[in-house]
Amino acid sequence: QSALTQPASVSGSPGQSITISCTGTSSDVGGYNYVSWYQHHPGKAPKVMIYGVSDRPSGVSNRFSGSKSGNTASLTISGLQAEDEADYYCSSYTSSITYVFGTGTKVTVL
Amino acid sequence: EVQLVQSGAEVKKPGESLKISCKGSGYSFTTYWIAWVRQMPGKGLEWMGMINPADSDTRYSPSFQGQVTISADKSINTAYLQWSSLTASDTAMYYCARGYSGSGTWDSWGQGTQVAVSA
């Protein structure tokens, strides 16, 4: 199974909003509401920011939101802050009863 | 507090075997699946496979099927990832993570185990 497709990089100024896309197929993103988004700072453990397409775990800022349309999921970060600079990965359950990650997006705060 | 504590960094030679571990604490170990995730140098996260410690039901990504073995010992709340014959391409950071069945997400992660394979 192929990795989900994400843009390699997205940037924005502090306070702006950015959106990261995650494109899969009907066998993963489009077929299930099991899309998660992870924030990964180099050298640290990944952290789940969104699960179930649009749910936020306790403790995650409401500046992070998720959505899905067809085979594409999206993560939006509003009110961008310097601490949001990190790599972001989407993940989806698949019809093979496995999971797949996205290719990853580097978010830069200008 | 939920914790997944992984074994320490390893330096191995090609052809050697290796087994790294992930010990869970602060929760019911058999209630959550454990997944293993690879990150090669400068690359993204790759989902390798997962195990249900309650019954050792295991699923592998097609990319890793036959290349590694995932196991667990529920008596000591520990999951394992092992190789029978390492190659240089196994050089990577490996993370374990827990996920509740049906949640579709991995909500707590280990600190990572660095594996370096070099002659």
Side-chain angles (χ1 to χ4, degrees), chain A residues 6 9 11 14 20 25 29 34 37 39 46 48-49 51 57 62 65 70 74 76 82 89 91 93 98 100 108-109:
Chain A
Q6 299 180 229
S9 63
S11 61
I20 303 168
T25 69
V29 174
Y34 287 142
W37 289 90
Q39 178 189 65
V48 59
M49 307 303 283
Y51 67 96
N62 60 8
S65 61
S74 298
T76 297
Y89 295 88
S91 171
Y93 180 75
T98 59
V100 62
T108 301
V109 181

Side-chain angles (χ1 to χ4, degrees), chain B residues 70-94:
Chain B
I70 295 171
S71 61
D73 184 342
K74 61 184 179 183
S75 69
I76 55 171
N77 291 357
T78 302
Y80 302 96
L81 176 66
Q82 68 181 84
W83 296 259
S84 60
S85 181
L86 289 160
T87 69
S89 63
D90 294 315
T91 295
M93 177 72 83
Y94 293 88

Side-chain angles (χ1 to χ4, degrees), chain A residues 12-69:
Chain A
S13 299
Q16 288 187 327
S17 293
I18 61 169
T19 297
I20 303 168
S21 62
C22 168
T23 301
T25 69
S26 58
S27 295
D28 37 64
V29 174
Y32 306 92
N33 287 325
Y34 287 142
V35 176
S36 298
W37 289 90
Y38 300 88
Q39 178 189 65
H40 190 205
H41 289 103
K44 300 185 71 176
K47 175 185 176 183
V48 59
M49 307 303 283
I50 294 289
Y51 67 96
V53 175
S54 58
D55 291 327
R56 262 189 322 276
S58 173
V60 171
S61 170
N62 60 8
R63 298 185 297 104
F64 291 84
S65 61
S67 63
K68 188 183 83 166
S69 177

Side-chain angles (χ1 to χ4, degrees), chain B residues 28-115:
Chain B
S28 174
F29 189 67
T30 54
T31 303
Y32 291 76
W33 289 72
I34 294 289
W36 286 94
V37 175
R38 181 176 80 175
Q39 185 173 38
M40 299 177 73
K43 303 297 184 181
L45 303 178
E46 299 174 90
W47 192 88
M48 301 175 71
M50 62 184 179
I51 189 166
N52 181 348
D55 60 8
S56 291
D57 183 16
T58 309
R59 309 293 167 86
Y60 293 92
S61 163
S63 300
F64 292 93
Q65 179 82 49
Q67 307 306 307
V68 297
T69 301
I70 295 171
S71 61
D73 184 342
K74 61 184 179 183
S75 69
I76 55 171
N77 291 357
T78 302
Y80 302 96
L81 176 66
Q82 68 181 84
W83 296 259
S84 60
S85 181
L86 289 160
T87 69
S89 63
D90 294 315
T91 295
M93 177 72 83
Y94 293 88
Y95 294 98
C96 65
R98 76 160 198 179
Y100 187 74
S101 180
S103 74
T105 195
W106 306 96
D107 66 355
S108 187
W109 292 65
Q111 82 278 17
T113 295
Q114 182 68 52
V115 173

